C-alpha cells in the first residue's frame, strides 16, 4: 500500500516507523475473539483483528510470516526511532 511505497522510496522498514493510532494487545488466546468483537464496537476499532499467536517454544522471539510464506525475525529497534512529524 501507500506506507510500503513511501518506505521503499525513502529506504525505511515500515515495521520500525512510528504508527499513530495503532496498538497491539497481548492476551490469552481464549479471550482474543471476544476482545476483537468489543473493539469492533467502537468507531476507531472497526478494523480490529487478531494478528498473531504466542508460542512457548520460542520465548522472547517474535517472528512474522511474510506474504511469501517465509518467516522473518523481528528484532528490537537498534539506534533511534525516526522522529514524529506532526
Amino acid at each position: 500500500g501507500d506506507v510500503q511505497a513511501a518506505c521503499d522510496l525513502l529506504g525505511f522498514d515500515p515495521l520500525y516507523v512510528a504508527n499513530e493510532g495503532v496498538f497491539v494487545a497481548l492476551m490469552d488466546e481464549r479471550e482474543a475473539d471476544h476482545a476483537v468483537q468489543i473493539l469492533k464496537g467502537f468507531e476507531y476499532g472497526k478494523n480490529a483483528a487478531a494478528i498473531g499467536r504466542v508460542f512457548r517454544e520460542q520465548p522472547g522471539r517474535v517472528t512474522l510470516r511474510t506474504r511469501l510464506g517465509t518467516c522473518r525475525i523481528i528484532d528490537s529497534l537498534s539506534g533511534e526511532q525516526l522522529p514524529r512529524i506532526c
Side-chain angles (χ1 to χ4, degrees):
D2 294 338
V3 172
Q4 185 66 54
C7 285
D8 289 346
L9 180 67
L10 298 170
F12 297 140
D13 184 332
L15 292 176
Y16 298 99
V17 177
N19 196 342
E20 300 287 331
V22 175
F23 81 98
V24 175
L26 296 172
M27 67 192 64
D28 188 299
E29 185 175 21
R30 295 170 290 194
E31 300 296 327
D33 288 337
H34 186 228
V36 167
Q37 291 310 311
I38 291 170
L39 289 168
K40 285 183 177 229
F42 295 93
E43 177 185 357
Y44 296 113
K46 64 184 175 189
N47 294 321
I51 62 167
R53 296 178 64 207
V54 175
F55 298 96
R56 291 183 185 181
E57 294 80 20
Q58 298 178 345
R61 177 178 283 179
V62 177
T63 59
L64 168 78
R65 174 97 37 214
T66 69
R67 289 180 183 171
L68 299 175
T70 61
C71 283
R72 171 184 168 185
I73 295 174
I74 306 299
D75 288 323
S76 296
L77 179 64
S78 62
E80 295 293 320
Q81 185 176 27
L82 294 171
R84 292 176 34 194
I85 303 171
C86 299

